[in-house]
């Protein structure tokens, strides 16, 4: 039995004695303890692919920051890798794909990921589960098919994502073919994360906001829905960054929780999504402020979500140069201000 199941109860819409809190990118660069592990290795990928070490950095924020959940340390790009498209993590620049998908032949050279190719992730989850010894739940995750697709077409991040978006106009059939393969790969992957011990899942649609609404429904939400329909074992959170106009459609997606970024209006989200738990949505830059500023911003956020099932978080990942003491203070503020 989990000693702290606040986040799972909140996700199910149940009353909780206080608001649960965790952070996107909590296992990572803000912690000196993480950097010590990371600096002893060849790079980011070695850390992701070494289960004992991935588990160690997954647990660090639970011990150091006092968050209510551990999110497995991994990367959304393990899926294209397992499909046959390898990536590199370039220091200070982010992910890079030496080869990208440009033609139907490139898609035919790929495969639907065999879940066993990602056994290092499941192993990291089961080690984490064992070492946490039921202290807090473990969150598993994957990228949304559209976001993964964007990386596979663009070869990395982009200001405009014009190559990926262009394909939706030029050859929607080819786009669907790749999106379907990513979707099938992701379903198998997430099912195996659950078997390994993930208590809940999050789907990250980091590049949701670059699409026009009609394309978002057609080329992103359609595939996110397929994933959510295929998985009913644990609660799922969908985080579609920048897609504020998609909230009404997210009401019909089979997920328990909807993540909001800091541009989204909690009042509006509460009105549009009465049946969903909401997660978010403090501006990550608020954590650069003084303690008084952080406390005020946290209080405002909690008030904004009052009367609605809520999981406290930032509106995106915590920025790498944020002072860990400020992050810890934010978590303490949530606990103190939301207890009743």
């Amino acid at each position: 039995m989990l000693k702290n199941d606040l986040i799972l109860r909140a996700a199910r819409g149940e009353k909780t004695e206080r608001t649960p809190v965790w952070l996107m990118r909590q296992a990572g660069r803000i912690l000196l303890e993480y950097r010590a592990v990371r600096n002893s290795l060849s790079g980011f990928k070695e850390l992701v692919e070494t289960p004992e070490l991935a588990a160690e950095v997954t647990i660090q924020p639970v011990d150091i920051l006092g968050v209510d959940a551990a999110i497995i340390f991994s990367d959304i790009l393990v899926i294209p890798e397992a499909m046959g498209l390898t990536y590199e993590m370039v220091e200070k620049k982010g992910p890079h794909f030496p080869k990208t998908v440009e033609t139907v032949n490139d898609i035919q050279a790929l495969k639907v990921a065999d879940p066993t190719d990602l056994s290092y992730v499941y192993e990291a989850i089961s080690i984490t589960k064992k070492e946490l010894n039921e202290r807090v739940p473990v969150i598993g995750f994957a990228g949304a098919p559209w976001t993964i697709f964007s990386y596979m077409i663009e070869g990395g991040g982009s200001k405009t994502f014009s190559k990926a978006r262009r394909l939706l106009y030029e050859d929607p059939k080819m786009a669907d073919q790749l999106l379907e393969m990513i979707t099938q790969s992701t379903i198998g992957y997430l099912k195996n994360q659950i078997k390994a011990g993930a208590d809940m899942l999050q789907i990250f649609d980091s590049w949701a906001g670059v699409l026009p609404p009609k394309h978002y429904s057609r080329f992103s939400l359609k595939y996110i829905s397929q994933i959510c329909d295929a998985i009913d074992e644990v609660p799922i959170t969908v985080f579609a960054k920048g897609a504020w106009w998609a909230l009404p459609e997210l009401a019909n997606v089979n997920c328990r929780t909807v993540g909001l970024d800091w541009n989204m209006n909690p009042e509006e989200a509460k009105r549009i999504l009465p049946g969903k738990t909401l997660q978010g949505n403090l501006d990550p830059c608020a954590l650069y402020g003084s303690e008084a500023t952080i406390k005020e911003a946290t209080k405002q956020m909690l008030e904004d979500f009052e009367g609605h099932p809520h999981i406290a978080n930032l509106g995106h990942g915590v920025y790498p140069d944020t002072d860990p003491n400020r992050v810890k203070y934010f978590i303490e503020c949530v606990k103190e201000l939301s207890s009743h």
Side-chain angles (χ1 to χ4, degrees):
M1 274 292 286
L2 279 162
K3 297 181 184 81
N4 172 352
D5 65 349
L6 279 171
I7 198 163
L8 298 178
R9 285 190 282 138
R12 293 194 294 260
E14 295 167 17
K15 279 259 186 288
T16 52
E17 44 282 20
R18 68 167 171 82
T19 303
V21 57
W22 70 282
L23 304 174
M24 293 180 267
R25 296 212 190 106
Q26 63 187 17
R29 293 173 289 187
I30 56 159
L31 300 177
L32 291 170
E33 294 80 353
Y34 165 83
R35 286 186 202 157
V37 176
R38 169 80 167 69
N39 293 341
S40 68
L41 303 168
S42 64
F44 173 85
K45 278 183 85 172
E46 189 184 347
L47 181 46
V48 167
E49 291 164 13
T50 311
E52 295 74 17
L53 297 177
E56 184 184 336
V57 298
T58 297
I59 296 168
Q60 284 172 350
V62 179
D63 295 336
I64 300 161
L65 303 171
V67 286
D68 291 311
I71 181 163
I72 196 64
F73 184 82
S74 185
D75 196 271
I76 61 172
L77 300 180
V78 298
I79 280 288
E81 179 121 289
M83 291 172 67
L85 205 69
T86 57
Y87 73 102
E88 301 159 352
M89 203 45 98
V90 184
E91 203 54 53
K92 305 260 186 291
K93 280 186 127 174
H96 170 69
F97 284 86
K99 186 179 176 346
T100 56
V101 173
E102 290 174 23
T103 64
V104 172
N105 289 350
D106 294 337
I107 295 178
Q108 282 158 356
L110 300 171
K111 59 172 185 149
V112 168
D114 181 334
T116 55
D117 291 342
L118 293 159
S119 55
Y120 57 87
V121 179
Y122 321 136
E123 204 179 320
I125 292 174
S126 44
I127 294 170
T128 301
K129 246 347 238 184
K130 195 158 149 245
E131 292 188 359
L132 277 173
N133 195 18
E134 303 291 323
R135 278 195 294 157
V136 294
V138 175
I139 304 173
F141 72 91
W146 158 251
T147 288
I148 302 290
F149 172 96
S150 302
Y151 279 112
M152 293 172 84
I153 303 285
E154 299 278 346
S158 162
K159 280 198 169 69
T160 59
F161 289 95
S162 53
K163 283 186 192 154
R165 285 164 51 209
R166 173 184 180 167
L167 188 62
L168 307 183
Y169 290 96
E170 282 189 344
D171 198 340
K173 209 165 140 211
M174 175 178 157
D176 278 322
Q177 196 182 343
L178 182 53
L179 285 161
E180 187 59 51
M181 285 176 80
I182 298 167
T183 302
Q184 292 312 317
S185 301
T186 305
I187 291 170
Y189 176 48
L190 289 173
K191 292 248 183 215
N192 277 277
Q193 289 189 37
I194 298 166
K195 279 187 199 142
D199 298 289
M200 65 191 298
L201 299 171
Q202 176 151 317
I203 296 171
F204 285 87
D205 204 356
S206 312
W207 308 129
V210 304
L211 288 175
K214 279 202 164 61
H215 268 180
Y216 188 66
S217 306
R218 162 81 177 75
F219 293 106
S220 186
L221 270 187
K222 172 183 160 186
Y223 292 101
I224 290 175
S225 288
Q226 275 188 40
I227 296 170
C228 293
D229 288 345
I231 293 170
D232 56 8
E233 299 91 325
V234 300
I236 302 180
T237 301
V238 173
F239 176 61
K241 187 175 182 299
W244 50 269
W245 29 256
L247 292 180
E249 282 186 85
L250 280 161
N252 305 316
V253 174
N254 236 330
C255 62
R256 282 295 324 141
T257 302
V258 173
L260 306 181
D261 66 46
W262 71 91
N263 299 118
M264 293 181 182
N265 179 337
E267 285 304 324
E268 202 182 342
K270 280 166 36 174
R271 188 174 48 76
I272 295 170
L273 299 163
K276 305 282 189 203
T277 296
L278 298 173
Q279 176 176 284
N281 74 334
L282 190 79
D283 179 358
C285 283
L287 301 188
Y288 293 126
S290 65
E291 289 198 345
T293 308
I294 293 170
K295 190 164 200 172
E296 190 43 51
T298 305
K299 186 166 177 276
Q300 184 61 58
M301 173 188 72
L302 291 167
E303 282 171 9
D304 288 345
F305 287 99
E306 211 168 327
H308 197 101
H310 179 221
I311 296 166
N313 206 315
L314 302 178
H316 198 221
V318 57
Y319 297 138
D321 60 350
T322 312
D323 176 350
N325 295 318
R326 292 281 199 269
V327 179
K328 192 173 168 130
Y329 184 70
F330 162 65
I331 287 155
E332 284 162 1
C333 285
V334 172
K335 291 179 179 181
E336 178 204 329
L337 296 168
S338 70
S339 294
H340 29 247

